[in-house]
Amino acid sequence: MLDDMRVLRDAVREYRVTATAAGLDWPDQVESPVGQPPDVVYQVFGVDHIAEQLTWLQSQRWPDRHLLPNVGWRMPWPEGGDALDYLTLLRARQRECGVNMAIVEDGFEHTEELSDAIDAAKASLDA
């Protein structure tokens, strides 16, 4: 299970070997120390504790692009006092635009559709 940090680190190491063998550019760097998320992260998610696995993944200095399986990428921690307001506004705009966040659990076949819908909702916030 990936909730064991040793297993998570091994899984990432194995994935990296496979990804680079397939031609994916993944920087060769040592593991970064685990940092703490900004205080606003606890507020955004309404929790008192952030999982060690997430803080470890966020601490790694991987590029912000699609590195992970199923077109996954690492999003930066939300920062600043406006993060919660922005997230709330984004979720409301996604609902208005018809983004069905429930399909996240349906897997890869909906990833592109969901990504496009989220990008459109984000663009509408910037307009």
Side-chain angles (χ1 to χ4, degrees), residues 44-87:
V44 166
F45 295 106
V47 296
D48 295 327
H49 173 75
I50 304 294
E52 180 183 12
Q53 295 82 354
L54 182 55
T55 58
W56 180 80
L57 286 169
Q58 286 290 30
S59 296
Q60 303 315 300
R61 304 239 181 262
W62 300 329
D64 291 328
R65 62 176 182 257
H66 297 251
L67 280 177
L68 305 173
N70 293 332
V71 197
W73 69 94
R74 188 180 50 87
M75 295 177 64
W77 291 121
E79 293 189 26
D82 296 334
L84 185 56
D85 293 339
Y86 178 78
L87 181 64

Side-chain angles (χ1 to χ4, degrees), residues 3-11 13:
D3 58 348
D4 178 326
M5 285 303 298
R6 182 185 50 77
V7 174
L8 175 60
R9 285 181 172 102
D10 289 347
R13 203 172 4 265

